[in-house]
Amino acid sequence: QVQLQESGPGLVKPSQTLSLTCTVSGGSITTNNYYWSWIRQPPGKGLEWMGAIAYRGNTYYSPSLKSRTSISRDTSKNQFILQLSSVTPEDTAVYYCARTRSVVVTARNPNDYWGQGTQVTVSS
């Protein structure tokens, strides 16, 4: 059973860089044909796909966030990392990491695995 766990600060100040780590157990992030994704859900809004890193290490980003987003990985720790720069209060959301079959995620798929999510608030 694959499990994912997000970790990182719950409060970030405006203009700073948000950094979240997803730790994966029960499966390797280098396993063929999976994408390791970051998705967020602002309060009162729907899911927003932010980007993904594939099993080979290539990355994909949402066009609307591409200039501020970086996704990397540490295969020795079986982790992948999200960095979002120049945050504003509009980046306040629950942030999820997930293992998905599709590179772009618009809804939860029962065949995918998601972390429980972590609340990030951007405020001074």
Side-chain angles (χ1 to χ4, degrees):
Q1 179 84 359
V2 175
Q3 293 184 319
L4 300 95
Q5 179 67 58
E6 305 90 350
S7 60
L11 180 65
V12 182
K13 295 184 184 300
S15 80
Q16 291 186 339
T17 294
L18 164 67
S19 183
L20 295 175
T21 297
C22 184
T23 301
V24 179
S25 59
S28 171
I29 62 172
T30 60
T31 301
N32 283 2
N33 298 329
Y34 290 116
Y35 298 93
W36 303 90
S37 304
W38 286 99
I39 305 108
R40 68 182 183 179
Q41 186 166 23
K45 298 184 179 180
L47 296 173
E48 180 182 20
W49 175 76
M50 301 181 69
I53 187 165
Y55 66 100
R56 291 181 176 177
N58 40 319
T59 53
Y60 307 83
Y61 298 107
S62 167
S64 64
L65 295 170
K66 185 175 182 178
S67 64
R68 299 195 292 129
T69 306
S70 175
I71 298 174
S72 59
R73 65 181 185 176
D74 186 336
T75 56
S76 68
K77 296 180 180 179
N78 215 33
Q79 296 175 331
F80 61 108
I81 301 102
L82 170 73
Q83 291 189 305
L84 181 67
S85 63
S86 304
V87 298
T88 72
E90 291 186 347
D91 293 308
T92 295
V94 177
Y95 286 74
Y96 299 93
C97 60
R99 190 192 81 172
T100 63
R101 285 282 191 181
S102 301
V103 63
V104 177
V105 178
T106 57
R108 285 182 181 257
N109 183 310
N111 294 320
D112 295 336
Y113 289 90
W114 287 55
Q116 64 183 16
T118 186
Q119 173 70 47
V120 176
T121 300
V122 179
S123 175
S124 55

